[in-house]
Amino acid sequence: MTAALQRQPRLLSIEGGEGAGKSTVLSALREALLVDGHEVVSTREPGGTPLAERIRELLLGGTGETVHPQTELLLMFASRAQHVREVVLPALQRGAWVISDRFTDSSYAYQGAGRGLDEGYIAALEQQAVGIEPGLTLLLDLGVAHGRERTRGRDLLGGSVPDRIERERDSFFERVRDGFLARAAQHPDRFRVIDASHDAASVAAAALAALAGYREVSR
């Protein structure tokens, strides 16, 4: 029997597909917690430490060769293991709140549902390499076509080029979305699903309301 993951009440994760508005929501949550006098560490996956950011470059920038799904998964967990031990756990141990733009649920959605890798294998890696889970996960749910429109406009305005994963076909992102919704259905005590098709202010307000409700029942 595997040990249960240790739930961390002050660890918040924000999940969702491309263009869902995770950065805007993260900023709103961070500001709300800062106003209340809390230390807040905002971070992201893959990444969050110098080594993990180098792994992120490999994962998203590409290497000129095909990246096997299992290689992608293992690199994600290598980055996450470093991130958890160097950033997340130290912050939690000193009483800070941690808000992460993506966490392990993304691996279930992208490498599991999206790439077709076994969920049991991902769960074993989660147990061995991570060992913790968020107290609250906000899933910003958005249709794939709508998300594509947003990222296309963002890329044009910012002059950026879509990364290796962003260049996947719509069918891949449909599977990813289904994977996220399946995770939310499996873990209703931890997930709050937010309709991200509305304007940014409305989505941020819904996220803040979810955080307020979570903090109220967690006291």
Side-chain angles (χ1 to χ4, degrees):
M1 180 182 296
T2 58
L5 296 169
Q6 294 183 355
R7 183 162 296 185
Q8 301 292 328
R10 290 184 175 231
L11 172 59
L12 312 177
S13 63
I14 305 172
E15 300 284 5
E18 310 307 312
K22 297 187 305 302
S23 297
T24 300
V25 166
L26 188 151
S27 295
L29 299 182
R30 175 184 172 83
E31 182 62 27
L33 290 168
L34 287 172
V35 166
D36 278 354
H38 298 287
E39 178 190 356
V40 183
V41 174
S42 53
T43 187
R44 68 177 183 177
E45 288 199 348
T49 80
L51 175 57
E53 290 291 336
R54 290 174 67 184
I55 297 173
R56 179 188 179 91
E57 292 174 9
L58 288 173
L59 280 164
L60 302 184
T63 61
E65 63 182 292
T66 300
V67 180
H68 190 278
Q70 190 172 56
T71 302
E72 181 179 277
L73 177 69
L74 292 172
L75 285 172
M76 287 287 185
F77 271 99
S79 172
R80 186 169 294 127
Q82 188 74 7
H83 180 226
V84 166
R85 284 154 184 81
E86 293 295 319
V87 174
V88 178
L89 287 177
L92 294 173
Q93 287 164 2
R94 65 176 182 263
W97 285 78
V98 178
I99 310 175
S100 186
D101 181 343
R102 301 198 182 283
F103 204 64
T104 312
D105 293 299
S106 274
S107 284
Y108 285 96
Y110 281 82
Q111 287 78 51
R115 304 290 189 204
L117 294 180
D118 180 64
E119 186 173 300
Y121 181 48
I122 298 173
L125 288 172
E126 180 181 25
Q127 182 64 52
Q128 294 298 317
V130 184
I132 63 172
E133 65 179 359
L136 175 67
T137 297
L138 300 181
L139 173 58
L140 309 185
D141 181 50
L142 183 68
V144 172
H146 195 167
R148 287 289 204 192
E149 289 176 8
R150 287 184 178 175
T151 56
R152 190 177 300 115
R154 178 190 67 195
D155 293 339
L156 288 173
L157 288 172
S160 59
V161 177
D163 64 39
R164 184 180 64 84
I165 293 179
E166 289 172 341
R167 292 194 295 270
E168 287 287 349
R169 296 182 178 182
D170 285 0
S171 57
F172 170 80
F173 290 112
E174 293 288 0
R175 295 193 300 273
V176 169
R177 184 188 185 194
D178 289 344
F180 273 130
L181 291 172
R183 290 288 292 172
Q186 291 164 6
H187 303 278
D189 57 328
R190 176 165 63 84
F191 271 82
R192 302 293 183 272
V193 180
I194 295 174
D195 184 351
S197 66
H198 300 295
D199 61 272
S202 298
V203 175
L208 289 170
L211 175 61
Y214 168 71
R215 294 179 67 189
E216 184 64 32
V217 300
S218 299
R219 288 177 180 173

